[in-house]
Amino acid sequence: HSVLNPKRGVVCPHCDNAEVAKLGKGKNKKIDLSLLVHPQWLAGSPKVDTAGNEFGGAAQDESKSTENWNLERATQIRLLEVRGGLPNSVICPETGVEFRTDKAGGNVPKQSTFACASCGTLQDVMKSVRATAKTGPMAPYAMHCFSKQAKSASAAYNGRFFLPFNEKYSRQLNAATSEWHSRKNSDLGAYWPREALIHYDRGNTSMLYNQPQHGHTHWWTMFNPRQLLGHSLLLKAIMTSGAYSNDVREFVLIAFQQYLRNNNSYSFWNLQADQLEPLFSNNNYHPKSLPVENNFFGPMGRGNWHSCVEGLAESVEWRNNPWETVSIAEITKIAPSIAPLCSGKSEKVRPGDAVGEAKISCHSSTDLSAYDALSTDLVITDPPFGALIHYADLADFFYPWLRAALKDNYPNIFQAEHTPRAVEVIANKALEDDADNYYKRLLTKCWSEAHRILKPGGILAFTFHHSKDEPWVAVLESLFEAGFYLEATYPIRSDETKGEGSKPGTFGSQQIEYDILHVCRKRTEEPKPVSWGRMRREVMADVRQLQGMLENHAKEGLPAADIQVIRRGKALEYFSRHYGKVFVDEGRAISVKEALVGINQLIDEGADKGKEPLPVNAEPMTRQFLRTFGNATEMKRDQLQKFLKGSITTPDEFEQRGWCSEKSKVVTRVNPLDFARDWSGKHKRRLTSDLDQALVLIGACFDSSGINAADTLKNDNFKPHVALKPLLEWLHKNGPDQASRNAASRAVSIYNGWAATQAVKPTQSALFEGYEL
């Protein structure tokens, strides 16, 4: 380090060179610290030692070969710490060797590739590891340390520093490796997992698909020998020490399970946060090229045994004297005199209501036969996310360790070698041909069982995450089909953001601070029929009542995406009360997906200000198509996909309906004349969609079409959609070209003439009256 000389500036302690530095105010200054590994270590080692003995280092290697490998690598290690900005090259002050720190340095020229130090040939890491049928050999190179004395002396990096993993530390590691291999089949034999990773015969959708490619064939291969020794010793102590009850031992297993996450070959160093990150910091098994071995009993650092056990004491304390967080805004309303004494956005408040005893049982939610019908007041759940997370794959990391400890006490639960998957409610394409329907079917069974055990006035509550719409179509369909409706929706602050981006009108892909807590009740009577147009009008009126409150929250910083979430929750309340009886046309009910498309359009209609409003009683897919294209005749596919992002609608759905076609990545609207000719001679009973009907009539009104539009209207099998006339009028003003607009004008005249001759239909008018806002 350098001491600032008031006259000369910053003085180098080695050469006495001085430079003037403008450090500004403040005592503590941040500087960059970089740790470089010497090129001689990166050059690697031969396959065998001088005596011809092979080096180990892989999880499956014998103890002696791995010990030789550890010692060999430790003799080559040398580290260089660089303070300040990192130049493109550095000269080692001890060996005179140049370190390249730019792209020309190191032995990893590109991702998943390494360069052979002997011949310079580039090799694919995955292929090289797979050829050995073992894990890649691992070798420690640095230790992250802490000194209380250095911290007290205000040393850089708050008293933390690095040491090379030299022969001294290698002998420590080798001692643990030797002890593990000598005890793993004797006194520790019952306290570590022998189970192999489950392997799916097809597809790469499993979260564990790549693990065999990296040599991880069994769960124990995800740990080095010292970790296996420490974990098995700890598990044995938890299950055998003292005369404690099983309840106490199982309580400590909670900390052990957390510790497993923080000490394995998938833990890594987060450079930005400058701390260890455990396995499942993301919900996957992504192999790490630079794993971190945690300190077992050290008092400092994240995820060591000490910090994991702390959570047990905190949970007991909370159980006896629980607290909840209350916002400062709420405290200001309730107790204005106390609010000035609080800081931050919220404060802990203790209600003085200790938590009582709870009964925990382990079984599938598809079968709640242990509970009597109409016996339960409240069901709280968090449904799975379709194919997003494979919960059994994630649980299997902990399961074999817990199975070793608990299989004798709970033989029915821990009998199998893996977490049960037969009735796992996810869309697992590796196990099911029709994974999406399988997911929906099992989810419906779960909701149905909850419906069976709930009392007539009971409540089902769950949170609804809005990062994607598609999985929730199945969730809502199964919920409604099981006999529930949404009583209320409440926005609650989420513990994480959902998604990225900020495109207006696609709040499903924006960062969302709030989830919606959905409160459901059992439907006790048949839903009343209602038209989509009428329901849409009621929702709009209710959202307008919320407008003042939402605008006030927006001024206080509530993101637009969160406001959209709140609005959609309110719209879903209405839809759920009429599920199965919301009609877009006489006798044709709207689906959940179509309703979500329409609700998404309804809540972002502000984006279309200044444009001719679409008919409110038009079908959601029709509105989506016309909103997307406007009066354009074509659109590039990637532009169309971007526009539809977050709307749970795809260009293919428009194409399947015959409304457009794609060629050379350009999507072109169908010509109404061609559409009408395609329908010529077909049975008019199938002509039910509002846009289909409008296109047929407009196409028939083109010059020289050869089709009589009046014949279609007079056909006894043709049932005009309630939105047909408003659509014809809209297309007359907003058609893609003059010919289409002229044809639409003629179609409106022909429709009006036909409508004047028709008798009033009381049944239809009673159901579909009152569309216009």
Side-chain angles (χ1 to χ4, degrees):
H1 66 277
S2 176
V3 177
L4 180 64
N5 186 303
K7 294 182 178 180
R8 300 179 62 198
V10 180
V11 182
C12 175
H14 298 290
C15 66
D16 201 43
N17 181 51
E19 289 188 15
V20 177
K22 294 181 180 180
L23 300 179
K25 298 180 180 180
K27 294 181 179 181
N28 299 321
K29 303 298 178 184
K30 291 184 178 181
I31 61 172
D32 291 328
L33 295 177
S34 301
L35 190 68
L36 306 181
V37 180
H38 200 286
Q40 71 183 26
W41 192 87
L42 294 176
S45 297
K47 186 176 181 180
V48 297
D49 61 15
T50 54
N53 299 311
E54 287 195 7
F55 288 128
Q60 294 87 347
D61 285 330
E62 293 296 324
S63 172
K64 189 60 179 176
S65 63
T66 295
E67 292 171 33
N68 290 340
W69 167 257
N70 292 335
L71 194 58
E72 157 66 19
R73 301 306 291 140
T75 60
Q76 306 294 326
I77 191 62
R78 188 185 299 270
L79 305 176
L80 179 65
E81 184 178 288
V82 179
R83 301 190 180 192
L86 190 64
N88 288 335
S89 65
V90 177
I91 303 297
C92 176
E94 296 180 359
T95 64
V97 175
E98 180 184 22
F99 289 53
R100 294 296 305 184
T101 64
D102 54 10
K103 292 183 178 180
N107 62 345
V108 183
K110 59 182 180 178
Q111 187 176 4
S112 302
T113 303
F114 70 96
C116 176
S118 299
C119 63
T121 304
L122 301 185
Q123 305 281 355
D124 181 81
V125 173
M126 178 80 79
K127 291 180 180 178
S128 300
V129 171
R130 189 165 55 228
T132 68
K134 299 185 292 188
T135 64
M138 289 287 181
Y141 61 89
M143 295 182 64
H144 192 227
C145 310
F146 171 77
S147 167
K148 289 184 179 180
Q149 292 79 4
K151 182 176 176 61
S152 300
S154 299
Y157 202 25
N158 293 322
R160 290 181 284 175
F161 60 96
F162 290 94
L163 287 177
F165 194 88
N166 57 26
E167 295 176 62
K168 171 186 174 181
Y169 303 116
S170 177
R171 285 191 289 271
Q172 292 178 352
L173 178 59
N174 285 345
T177 300
S178 177
E179 182 177 353
W180 166 245
H181 282 276
S182 66
R183 298 179 64 179
K184 66 180 182 180
N185 293 320
S186 56
D187 64 312
L188 299 180
Y191 300 101
W192 61 281
R194 314 292 184 106
E195 293 86 350
L197 273 65
I198 194 168
H199 179 67
Y200 296 102
D201 294 330
R202 59 179 181 176
N204 60 351
T205 58
S206 166
M207 290 187 172
L208 288 167
Y209 175 75
N210 277 325
Q211 275 45 54
Q213 318 294 319
H214 288 272
H216 292 299
T217 56
H218 296 72
W219 292 107
W220 59 265
T221 62
M222 295 184 176
F223 306 87
N224 70 37
R226 181 156 59 187
Q227 291 171 333
L228 289 169
L229 175 64
H231 294 349
S232 58
L233 282 169
L234 185 56
L235 186 58
K236 180 181 179 181
I238 293 172
M239 300 309 297
T240 61
S241 296
Y244 302 101
S245 68
N246 286 337
D247 288 345
V248 171
R249 299 185 193 280
E250 291 169 17
F251 187 57
V252 181
L253 282 177
I254 297 172
F256 177 75
Q257 177 173 307
Q258 284 301 309
Y259 183 64
L260 289 173
R261 285 186 63 219
N262 290 276
N263 209 345
N264 55 73
S265 64
Y266 286 73
S267 299
F268 64 100
W269 197 256
N270 184 330
L271 291 176
Q272 287 72 33
D274 198 26
Q275 66 181 15
L276 176 141
E277 290 291 343
L279 173 64
F280 303 142
S281 52
N282 288 321
N283 294 319
N284 58 45
Y285 287 95
H286 182 63
K288 304 299 186 293
S289 58
L290 298 175
V292 174
E293 181 184 356
N294 209 342
N295 188 347
F296 195 95
F297 282 120
M300 295 191 64
R302 182 185 186 190
N304 53 35
W305 178 247
H306 179 77
S307 64
C308 290
V309 172
E310 277 184 337
L312 300 183
E314 292 171 357
S315 64
V316 172
E317 179 186 353
W318 186 90
R319 183 196 66 180
N320 297 330
N321 190 15
W323 51 263
E324 299 289 347
T325 56
V326 180
S327 68
I328 300 300
E330 189 67 20
I331 293 176
T332 302
K333 296 177 183 178
I334 300 172
S337 61
I338 299 177
L341 304 176
C342 304
S343 60
K345 294 183 177 180
S346 61
E347 191 70 34
K348 290 182 180 179
V349 176
R350 298 188 182 276
D353 183 17
V355 178
E357 294 295 324
K359 179 183 177 182
I360 299 176
S361 57
C362 182
H363 51 259
S364 171
S365 296
T366 61
D367 181 10
L368 301 179
S369 56
Y371 301 91
D372 294 333
L374 307 177
S375 63
T376 306
D377 294 294
L378 174 65
V379 173
I380 301 175
T381 184
D382 187 6
F385 288 80
L388 185 61
I389 300 177
H390 291 198
Y391 298 93
D393 286 350
L394 302 181
D396 264 357
F397 176 80
F398 306 102
Y399 180 83
W401 288 95
L402 298 177
R403 180 173 182 258
L406 300 173
K407 62 183 177 183
D408 292 335
N409 295 340
Y410 302 98
N412 292 334
I413 296 175
F414 290 98
Q415 182 178 11
E417 290 190 352
H418 303 283
T419 305
R421 286 168 169 77
V423 288
E424 184 181 14
V425 186
I426 64 169
N428 191 340
K429 296 180 181 179
L431 293 178
E432 298 293 333
D433 291 324
D434 193 355
D436 292 334
N437 279 334
Y438 175 83
Y439 166 69
K440 180 185 173 183
R441 187 169 66 252
L442 284 187
L443 191 59
T444 304
K445 180 62 176 175
C446 294
W447 296 131
S448 298
E449 278 292 271
H451 187 278
R452 181 185 65 81
I453 67 173
L454 274 173
K455 296 176 181 178
I459 288 176
L460 167 70
F462 67 96
T463 56
F464 192 97
H465 299 267
H466 291 271
S467 58
K468 284 189 176 181
D469 282 337
E470 291 86 346
W472 295 109
V473 172
V475 170
L476 292 174
E477 283 181 344
S478 62
L479 178 72
F480 300 153
E481 289 173 9
F484 287 102
Y485 73 92
L486 287 173
E487 172 72 18
T489 53
Y490 301 99
I492 56 173
R493 188 176 296 274
S494 174
D495 58 350
E496 59 181 327
T497 56
K498 308 292 190 295
E500 299 177 353
S502 58
K503 180 180 176 182
T506 58
F507 67 90
S509 62
Q510 294 184 53
Q511 290 189 345
I512 295 176
E513 186 178 353
Y514 282 81
D515 291 334
I516 296 295
L517 176 64
H518 289 70
V519 179
C520 309
R521 289 193 184 276
K522 300 169 70 170
R523 182 177 285 118
T524 56
E525 59 183 18
E526 280 296 308
K528 296 179 180 179
V530 65
S531 71
W532 169 251
R534 181 184 293 277
M535 194 194 86
R536 189 176 181 280
R537 183 180 63 184
E538 292 174 354
V539 171
M540 285 292 291
D542 202 62
V543 168
R544 287 195 184 102
Q545 292 181 7
L546 292 172
Q547 193 66 29
M549 180 193 71
L550 295 176
E551 288 177 356
N552 182 59
H553 284 298
K555 292 177 183 177
E556 295 181 359
L558 183 64
D562 293 323
I563 293 176
Q564 301 292 62
V565 168
I566 295 169
R567 286 171 171 161
R568 183 162 75 165
K570 181 59 64 178
L572 284 171
E573 286 181 32
Y574 281 95
F575 178 74
S576 71
R577 293 192 180 110
H578 299 280
Y579 175 70
K581 297 292 184 178
V582 180
F583 294 96
V584 292
D585 192 13
E586 184 177 1
R588 188 157 65 91
I590 193 172
S591 68
V592 170
K593 180 172 181 178
E594 289 176 310
L596 278 174
V597 171
I599 288 170
N600 286 347
Q601 296 166 9
L602 182 152
I603 61 180
D604 72 347
E605 281 190 338
D608 289 338
K609 289 182 179 178
K611 298 180 180 179
E612 178 78 18
L614 283 156
V616 296
N617 48 5
E619 296 178 22
M621 289 298 291
T622 296
R623 292 175 60 87
Q624 185 67 63
F625 178 78
L626 295 178
R627 285 183 71 245
T628 302
F629 276 90
N631 57 7
T633 57
E634 63 181 33
M635 188 179 295
K636 292 182 178 180
R637 183 177 178 85
D638 60 347
Q639 181 184 354
L640 180 60
Q641 289 174 325
K642 290 176 182 177
F643 190 95
L644 294 175
K645 187 177 180 181
S647 68
I648 64 171
T649 313
T650 65
D652 292 340
E653 292 182 83
F654 293 154
E655 192 168 352
Q656 290 168 5
R657 293 169 181 258
W659 297 345
C660 59
S661 59
E662 180 187 353
K663 184 177 181 181
S664 301
K665 297 185 178 180
V666 174
V667 181
T668 304
R669 286 174 69 160
V670 67
N671 185 300
L673 177 58
D674 295 335
F675 192 88
R677 285 173 173 170
D678 284 343
W679 265 99
S680 182
K682 293 182 180 179
H683 206 297
K684 296 302 185 287
R685 183 177 289 130
R686 297 197 300 271
L687 188 60
T688 57
S689 164
D690 53 358
L691 185 56
D692 286 355
Q693 293 181 359
L695 290 173
V696 165
L697 290 182
I698 292 172
C701 292
F702 269 71
D703 294 334
S704 305
S705 70
I707 306 172
N708 190 331
D711 289 346
T712 298
L713 292 169
K714 295 175 183 178
N715 192 305
D716 292 337
N717 293 312
F718 178 75
K719 303 295 181 184
H721 195 284
V722 68
L724 176 55
K725 179 182 176 181
L727 268 180
L728 292 174
E729 294 173 339
W730 190 90
L731 289 168
H732 162 51
K733 298 178 182 179
N734 300 278
D737 51 55
Q738 191 60 50
S740 296
R741 291 192 289 271
N742 292 340
S745 178
R746 297 188 192 107
V748 171
S749 299
I750 293 173
Y751 180 89
N752 288 337
W754 169 82
T757 65
Q758 301 302 301
V760 177
K761 298 181 179 179
T763 302
Q764 180 172 330
S765 62
L767 179 61
F768 290 98
E769 65 182 0
Y771 283 104
E772 302 299 327
L773 295 177

